[in-house]
Amino acid sequence: MLVLSGPSASGKSEIVKILTEKYDLKKLVTYTTRPPRLGEINGIDYNFVTVDEFLKLKANNEFLETTYYNNNYYGSRLADINFEKIVILDPSGVNVFREILKEKIVVVFLTAPESLRIERMRKRGDDEKIIEKRILNDRTTFTLDKYQHIDYIYHNETIELDALAKQIYDCYIKHIEKLILENVLSGK
């Protein structure tokens, strides 16, 4: 499973779109209580649920991991986990996935300069107060010391997204091939 993480507007969602369209990876559609952004579709971008629905799923132990970020709940449902999928997670989600799924995941951290991320959020129409709140939160949430493990770090500021997606996909495939070879050699 390919796991992307990084601060707001670092390019995670755009990379996921490219990887699902061009490289046939499937997106793990996570659950959230936040309202959809303009153009987002329920069941494709996220499973948009109410707080009560989310908490009921959580109480029934249906999530592998959950997090509370920017006053909204997010979670990855156990029934949806598949190793041919790609998912976007915050550091706590990455750490839970890594602890449970071990080396079966490849963790990619995306980053970009704060000024560029602010510009991207403005271009997509985010409210200025929300941008400020996200930036302040990201400064403490998405620091590398919050992660137990990261396989690759990519700086998304000057490279074209298609080229970056290809680099990420190529690293992911090499990582998977290495795991398969190690398992064959060890008799697993």
Side-chain angles (χ1 to χ4, degrees):
M1 177 175 274
L2 179 57
V3 177
L4 296 182
S5 191
S8 303
S10 58
K12 302 175 302 291
S13 295
E14 294 302 315
I15 293 295
V16 167
K17 285 179 187 175
I18 294 167
L19 290 171
T20 56
E21 290 171 7
K22 290 189 173 185
Y23 299 98
D24 206 30
L25 289 175
K26 306 294 182 227
K27 180 181 178 194
L28 174 65
V29 181
T30 56
Y31 286 71
T32 186
T33 59
R34 81 158 169 77
R37 291 184 188 133
L38 185 63
E40 287 184 326
I41 300 169
N42 189 38
I44 293 177
D45 296 292
Y46 284 96
N47 291 301
F48 295 100
V49 295
T50 66
V51 171
D52 288 341
E53 290 169 322
F54 189 95
L55 294 176
K56 183 177 180 181
L57 290 168
K58 186 174 180 176
N60 290 333
N61 296 314
E62 293 194 39
F63 290 113
L64 175 66
E65 61 81 34
T66 62
T67 193
Y68 189 72
Y69 175 72
N70 279 334
N71 298 317
N72 295 293
Y73 289 100
Y74 294 82
S76 303
R77 201 166 178 183
L78 278 164
D80 300 332
I81 301 298
N82 180 309
F83 293 105
E84 296 173 0
K85 290 188 177 180
I86 183 172
V87 65
I88 297 172
L89 299 171
D90 74 350
S92 64
V94 170
N95 292 338
V96 169
F97 265 58
R98 181 69 183 182
E99 183 179 317
I100 294 171
L101 303 175
K102 309 282 185 230
E103 70 280 346
K104 294 177 183 172
I105 67 168
V106 177
V107 180
V108 173
F109 182 83
L110 286 172
T111 187
E114 191 173 281
S115 60
L116 178 59
R117 294 187 301 105
I118 291 169
E119 181 183 321
R120 289 174 179 168
M121 285 187 266
R122 285 180 177 147
K123 282 184 180 176
R124 71 183 184 198
D126 290 1
D127 179 84
E128 286 296 322
K129 289 179 183 176
I130 291 173
I131 292 171
E132 182 179 335
K133 185 177 181 180
R134 293 182 90 184
I135 290 295
L136 290 173
N137 188 46
D138 287 354
R139 287 178 185 164
T140 57
T141 301
F142 289 96
T143 58
L144 294 179
D145 65 319
K146 296 282 195 309
Y147 295 85
Q148 294 172 2
H149 180 87
I150 295 174
D151 292 295
Y152 305 99
I153 298 175
Y154 288 96
H155 298 274
N156 178 13
E157 51 193 292
T158 58
I159 189 168
E160 292 290 327
L161 286 178
D162 283 338
L164 180 57
K166 182 171 181 2
Q167 287 180 16
I168 292 170
Y169 181 76
D170 289 346
C171 283
Y172 171 66
I173 293 302
K174 286 179 187 173
H175 191 95
I176 297 303
E177 288 171 347
K178 179 182 171 199
L179 285 177
I180 292 169
L181 181 59
E182 288 172 358
N183 284 338
V184 167
L185 293 176
S186 66
K188 291 183 182 178

